Amino acid sequence: MKNKKPWGGRFSGATSALVEQFTESISFDRALAPYDIRASIAHCRMLGRQGIIAQRDARRIERALREIGREIEAGTLAMEARCEDIHMCIEARLIEKIGPVGGKLHTARSRNDQVATDVSLYLRDAILNTRGLLVELDRALVELAARNMDAVLPGFTHMQHAQPVLLAHHLLAYHEMFARDCERLESCYRRVNRLPLGAGALAGTPYPVDRRFVAAQLGYPAVSANSMDTVSDRDHLIEFSSAAALIMMHLSRLCEELILWSTPEFAFVEIADAFCTGSSIMPQKKNPDVPEIVRGKTGRVYGNLMALLTLMKALPLAYNRDLQEDKERLFDTVTTVQGCLRVFAPMLGSLRFNREAMRAAAAGGFLTATDLADYLVRQGMPFRSAHEVVGRIVAHCERAGTSLFELDQRALQKFSPAFGADAPACLSIEASVASRRCEGGTAPARVRAAVRAALKQLERRRQSVERELIKINAP
Ligand code: ARG
């Protein structure tokens, strides 16, 4: 009977077509196909080695699985809803190819530990690839900073002019965010990197399996501990989704600044034509669509995280079919975050900063007022009093419609006799930036050192991703 289910033994009635459509996951879990083949081959070898099935059968099954793997690559494997999911679909094809001996593959495993293993293999790849893309994006950012070392702009708080900073310093703030994102992915990876297979349906398996052999075959340094936790744990999906949500939040903040900075009111930056689109009605328009879409996609990654957290809330041990709902959220998060990272790196490389506009904005307000107060502090005045004096100077300038730069020593002395001949010099933007030499400050020497350290760190991270990819994909 063609429509017979692998679990059909205890059933006398056929599944309703509506239920088949409602419960299937083949329409999305086909993304797991290559991982399912890989895990099944490792499992089958172990079964043969342990004498759980005959070596001859194990070899036949492995050969057929490899053929099915090629059918999947070529897109010729039929995947229908009545197969339910990718695991059953591959098993059905196996039995179709080599007959009942194919039915021995599912000895000592359940779809519950099988799906946990497939997702874990998928997630390992996804994390490493995301880390690789993040490193490339971060490198584009740090190189952008290095190319613009001499540019200054107003630093903002409350979106009001605050103090002048180097553009490179501003950009490197995002490097710190991406560096933390990278660490989060590394840490989450360590918890994904444990083999679930062998947990069985929930209680383990009575066969003399060798989980460590399977782990070694699949490049896992360890096997999972409690079988009940193993088949129902989705922490690692949530951890990854949360790391992805933070990556998106950081990208979205940067997007917001790029969108703002490319308005004619700011005109700090120009995004290359290749990363913008026009309007169907307004001929003059050049819209920053890439940062806008990235900012928009942040919401869907947050949504996926919330969906997973809500999915897991109050699920009793062990496997429950609710868990099937985890995959689309995970796959969508991986595709979305990787797509954003991929387009972002070259877009950053295309940015042209307008140094004159940034410098003019930095010179426009009263950005070095704090420096003037600090001057008075160096002459022995308490900071609070210095703040008061300079506040009065700013109010005076505002009334007179002048800037701090126009004040000479005589003008300053009207507000305090403590102003010496060297006072006006501390009002310059360059002096202000250069004076912030503390660790983590915007002084050029600090920022140059930060660029060098970032490039070194990025190279180490790139190599570590490459080494790990080789390790887990070794045959
Ligand atoms: N498609 C299922 C999932 O994604 C596979 C596991 C099914 N297990 C079961 N006991 N029905 O979770």
Side-chain angles (χ1 to χ4, degrees), residues 304-349:
N304 289 340
L305 170 63
M306 278 318 295
L308 287 174
L309 284 166
T310 313
L311 172 68
M312 295 308 293
K313 175 186 173 295
L315 268 197
L317 286 173
Y319 180 86
N320 297 276
R321 190 65 180 269
D322 317 42
L323 290 171
Q324 181 167 291
E325 283 290 307
D326 64 352
K327 274 159 229 64
E328 286 165 291
R329 301 301 109 227
L330 174 66
F331 298 161
D332 185 67
T333 297
V334 170
T335 315
T336 305
V337 73
Q338 291 189 351
C340 292
L341 291 171
R342 213 169 271 126
V343 69
F344 222 91
M347 184 196 61
L348 283 183

Coordinates of all heavy atoms in Angstrom, one line a residue, residues 304-349:
N304 N 10.8 36.3 15.8 CA 11.2 34.9 15.9 C 11.6 34.4 17.3 O 11.3 33.4 17.7 CB 12.3 34.6 14.8 CG 11.7 34.7 13.4 OD1 10.5 34.6 13.2 ND2 12.6 34.9 12.5
L305 N 12.4 35.3 17.9 CA 12.9 35.0 19.2 C 11.7 34.9 20.2 O 11.6 33.9 21.0 CB 13.9 36.1 19.7 CG 14.3 36.1 21.2 CD1 15.1 34.8 21.5 CD2 15.1 37.3 21.6
M306 N 10.8 35.8 20.1 CA 9.6 35.8 21.0 C 8.8 34.5 20.8 O 8.3 33.9 21.7 CB 8.7 37.0 20.8 CG 9.2 38.2 21.6 SD 9.7 37.9 23.2 CE 8.2 37.3 24.0
A307 N 8.7 34.1 19.5 CA 7.9 32.9 19.1 C 8.5 31.7 19.7 O 7.8 30.9 20.3 CB 7.8 32.8 17.6
L308 N 9.9 31.6 19.7 CA 10.5 30.4 20.3 C 10.4 30.4 21.8 O 10.2 29.3 22.4 CB 12.0 30.4 19.9 CG 12.3 30.1 18.4 CD1 13.8 30.2 18.1 CD2 11.8 28.7 18.1
L309 N 10.6 31.5 22.4 CA 10.5 31.6 23.9 C 9.1 31.2 24.3 O 8.9 30.4 25.2 CB 10.7 33.0 24.4 CG 12.2 33.4 24.4 CD1 12.3 34.9 24.6 CD2 12.9 32.7 25.6
T310 N 8.1 31.6 23.5 CA 6.7 31.3 23.9 C 6.4 29.9 23.6 O 5.6 29.2 24.3 CB 5.7 32.3 23.1 OG1 6.2 33.6 23.2 CG2 4.3 32.2 23.6
L311 N 7.0 29.4 22.5 CA 6.8 28.0 22.2 C 7.2 27.0 23.3 O 6.6 26.1 23.6 CB 7.6 27.7 20.9 CG 7.7 26.2 20.4 CD1 6.3 25.7 20.0 CD2 8.7 26.1 19.3
M312 N 8.3 27.4 23.9 CA 8.9 26.5 24.9 C 8.3 26.7 26.3 O 8.4 25.8 27.2 CB 10.4 26.8 25.1 CG 11.2 26.5 23.8 SD 10.9 24.8 23.3 CE 11.6 23.8 24.6
K313 N 7.6 27.8 26.5 CA 7.1 28.1 27.9 C 6.0 27.0 28.2 O 5.1 26.7 27.4 CB 6.4 29.4 27.8 CG 5.7 29.8 29.1 CD 4.9 31.1 28.9 CE 4.1 31.4 30.1 NZ 3.0 30.4 30.2
A314 N 6.2 26.4 29.3 CA 5.2 25.4 29.9 C 5.2 24.1 29.1 O 4.2 23.3 29.2 CB 3.8 26.0 30.0
L315 N 6.2 23.8 28.2 CA 6.2 22.5 27.6 C 6.6 21.4 28.6 O 7.7 21.5 29.1 CB 7.1 22.5 26.4 CG 6.6 22.8 25.0 CD1 7.6 22.3 23.9 CD2 5.2 22.2 24.8
P316 N 5.8 20.4 28.8 CA 6.3 19.4 29.8 C 7.3 18.5 29.1 O 7.4 18.5 27.8 CB 5.0 18.6 30.0 CG 4.2 18.7 28.8 CD 4.5 20.1 28.3
L317 N 8.1 17.8 29.9 CA 9.1 16.8 29.3 C 8.3 15.7 28.6 O 7.2 15.3 29.1 CB 10.0 16.3 30.4 CG 11.1 17.2 30.9 CD1 11.8 16.6 32.1 CD2 12.1 17.6 29.8
A318 N 8.7 15.0 27.6 CA 9.9 15.3 26.9 C 9.6 15.9 25.5 O 9.1 17.0 25.5 CB 10.8 14.1 26.8
Y319 N 9.6 15.1 24.4 CA 9.3 15.6 23.1 C 7.8 15.9 23.1 O 6.9 15.1 23.5 CB 9.7 14.7 22.0 CG 9.3 15.2 20.6 CD1 10.1 16.1 20.0 CD2 8.1 14.9 20.1 CE1 9.8 16.6 18.7 CE2 7.7 15.4 18.8 CZ 8.6 16.3 18.2 OH 8.2 16.8 17.0
N320 N 7.4 17.0 22.5 CA 6.0 17.3 22.2 C 6.0 17.9 20.7 O 6.9 18.5 20.3 CB 5.4 18.4 23.1 CG 5.4 18.0 24.5 OD1 4.5 17.3 25.0 ND2 6.5 18.3 25.3
R321 N 4.9 17.6 20.0 CA 4.9 17.9 18.6 C 5.0 19.4 18.4 O 5.3 19.9 17.3 CB 3.7 17.3 17.9 CG 3.7 17.4 16.4 CD 4.8 16.6 15.7 NE 4.8 16.7 14.3 CZ 4.2 15.9 13.5 NH1 3.5 14.9 14.0 NH2 4.2 16.0 12.2
D322 N 4.6 20.2 19.4 CA 4.8 21.7 19.3 C 6.1 22.0 18.8 O 6.3 23.0 18.1 CB 4.6 22.3 20.7 CG 3.5 21.8 21.6 OD1 3.3 20.6 21.6 OD2 2.9 22.6 22.3
L323 N 7.1 21.2 19.2 CA 8.5 21.5 18.9 C 8.8 21.6 17.4 O 9.8 22.3 17.0 CB 9.4 20.5 19.5 CG 9.5 20.5 21.0 CD1 10.3 19.3 21.6 CD2 10.2 21.8 21.5
Q324 N 7.9 21.0 16.6 CA 8.1 21.2 15.1 C 8.0 22.6 14.7 O 8.5 23.0 13.6 CB 7.0 20.3 14.5 CG 7.0 20.4 12.9 CD 6.1 19.3 12.3 OE1 6.4 18.1 12.5 NE2 5.1 19.7 11.7
E325 N 7.3 23.4 15.5 CA 7.2 24.9 15.2 C 8.5 25.7 15.3 O 8.5 26.8 15.0 CB 6.1 25.5 16.1 CG 4.7 25.2 15.7 CD 4.3 25.9 14.4 OE1 4.4 27.1 14.3 OE2 3.8 25.1 13.5
D326 N 9.5 25.0 15.8 CA 10.8 25.8 16.0 C 11.5 26.1 14.7 O 12.2 27.0 14.6 CB 11.7 25.0 17.0 CG 12.2 23.6 16.4 OD1 11.7 23.2 15.4 OD2 13.0 23.0 17.1
K327 N 11.3 25.2 13.7 CA 12.2 25.2 12.6 C 12.1 26.5 11.7 O 13.0 27.1 11.4 CB 12.1 24.0 11.7 CG 12.9 22.9 12.3 CD 12.4 21.5 11.8 CE 12.3 20.5 13.0 NZ 11.4 20.8 14.0
E328 N 10.8 26.8 11.4 CA 10.6 28.0 10.5 C 11.2 29.2 11.1 O 11.8 30.1 10.4 CB 9.2 28.1 10.1 CG 8.7 27.1 9.1 CD 7.2 27.1 9.1 OE1 6.6 26.6 10.1 OE2 6.6 27.5 8.1
R329 N 11.0 29.4 12.4 CA 11.5 30.6 13.1 C 13.0 30.6 13.1 O 13.6 31.6 12.8 CB 11.1 30.6 14.6 CG 9.6 30.6 14.9 CD 8.9 31.7 14.3 NE 8.1 31.3 13.1 CZ 8.1 31.9 11.9 NH1 8.8 33.0 11.7 NH2 7.3 31.5 11.0
L330 N 13.7 29.4 13.3 CA 15.1 29.3 13.2 C 15.6 29.6 11.8 O 16.5 30.4 11.6 CB 15.6 27.9 13.7 CG 17.1 27.7 13.6 CD1 17.9 28.6 14.5 CD2 17.5 26.3 13.8
F331 N 15.0 28.9 10.8 CA 15.5 29.1 9.5 C 15.4 30.5 9.0 O 16.2 31.1 8.4 CB 14.7 28.2 8.5 CG 14.9 26.7 8.8 CD1 14.0 25.8 8.3 CD2 16.0 26.2 9.5 CE1 14.1 24.4 8.5 CE2 16.1 24.9 9.8 CZ 15.2 24.0 9.3
D332 N 14.2 31.1 9.4 CA 14.0 32.5 8.9 C 15.0 33.5 9.6 O 15.5 34.4 9.0 CB 12.6 32.9 9.3 CG 12.2 34.3 8.8 OD1 12.2 34.5 7.6 OD2 12.1 35.3 9.6
T333 N 15.3 33.2 10.8 CA 16.3 34.0 11.5 C 17.7 33.9 10.8 O 18.4 34.9 10.6 CB 16.4 33.6 13.0 OG1 15.2 33.9 13.6 CG2 17.5 34.4 13.7
V334 N 18.1 32.7 10.5 CA 19.4 32.5 9.9 C 19.4 33.2 8.5 O 20.4 33.9 8.3 CB 19.7 30.9 9.7 CG1 20.9 30.7 8.9 CG2 19.8 30.3 11.1
T335 N 18.4 33.0 7.7 CA 18.4 33.6 6.4 C 18.4 35.1 6.5 O 19.1 35.8 5.8 CB 17.1 33.2 5.6 OG1 16.9 31.8 5.8 CG2 17.2 33.5 4.2
T336 N 17.6 35.6 7.4 CA 17.5 37.1 7.6 C 18.8 37.7 8.0 O 19.3 38.6 7.4 CB 16.3 37.4 8.5 OG1 15.1 36.8 8.1 CG2 16.1 38.9 8.6
V337 N 19.3 37.2 9.1 CA 20.5 37.8 9.7 C 21.7 37.7 8.7 O 22.5 38.6 8.5 CB 20.8 37.3 11.1 CG1 21.4 35.9 11.1 CG2 21.8 38.3 11.8
Q338 N 21.8 36.5 8.1 CA 22.9 36.3 7.1 C 22.7 37.2 5.9 O 23.7 37.8 5.4 CB 23.0 34.9 6.7 CG 23.5 34.0 7.9 CD 23.9 32.6 7.5 OE1 23.6 32.1 6.4 NE2 24.5 31.8 8.4
G339 N 21.5 37.3 5.4 CA 21.2 38.2 4.3 C 21.6 39.7 4.6 O 22.2 40.4 3.8
C340 N 21.3 40.1 5.8 CA 21.6 41.5 6.2 C 23.1 41.7 6.3 O 23.7 42.7 5.8 CB 21.0 41.8 7.5 SG 19.2 41.9 7.4
L341 N 23.8 40.7 6.9 CA 25.2 40.9 7.1 C 25.9 40.9 5.7 O 26.9 41.6 5.4 CB 25.8 39.7 7.9 CG 25.4 39.7 9.4 CD1 25.9 38.4 10.0 CD2 26.1 40.9 10.1
R342 N 25.4 40.0 4.8 CA 26.0 39.9 3.5 C 25.9 41.2 2.7 O 26.9 41.6 2.0 CB 25.3 38.8 2.7 CG 26.2 38.0 1.8 CD 25.6 36.8 1.3 NE 25.8 35.6 2.1 CZ 24.9 34.8 2.6 NH1 23.6 35.1 2.3 NH2 25.2 33.8 3.3
V343 N 24.8 41.9 2.8 CA 24.7 43.1 2.0 C 25.3 44.3 2.7 O 25.7 45.3 2.0 CB 23.2 43.4 1.7 CG1 22.4 43.8 2.9 CG2 23.0 44.5 0.6
F344 N 25.4 44.2 4.0 CA 25.9 45.4 4.7 C 27.4 45.6 4.5 O 27.8 46.8 4.4 CB 25.7 45.1 6.2 CG 25.2 46.3 7.0 CD1 23.8 46.6 7.1 CD2 26.1 47.3 7.5 CE1 23.4 47.7 7.7 CE2 25.6 48.4 8.2 CZ 24.3 48.6 8.3
A345 N 28.2 44.6 4.5 CA 29.7 44.8 4.3 C 30.0 45.6 3.1 O 30.7 46.6 3.2 CB 30.4 43.4 4.4
P346 N 29.6 45.2 1.9 CA 29.9 46.0 0.7 C 29.3 47.4 0.8 O 29.9 48.3 0.2 CB 29.4 45.2 -0.5 CG 28.4 44.2 0.1 CD 28.9 44.0 1.5
M347 N 28.1 47.5 1.4 CA 27.5 48.8 1.5 C 28.4 49.8 2.3 O 28.6 50.9 1.9 CB 26.1 48.8 2.1 CG 25.5 50.1 2.1 SD 24.0 50.3 3.1 CE 24.7 49.9 4.7
L348 N 28.9 49.3 3.4 CA 29.8 50.1 4.3 C 31.0 50.5 3.4 O 31.5 51.6 3.5 CB 30.3 49.3 5.5 CG 29.3 49.1 6.6 CD1 29.9 48.4 7.8 CD2 28.8 50.5 7.1
G349 N 31.5 49.5 2.7 CA 32.7 49.8 1.8 C 32.4 51.0 0.8 O 33.4 51.6 0.4

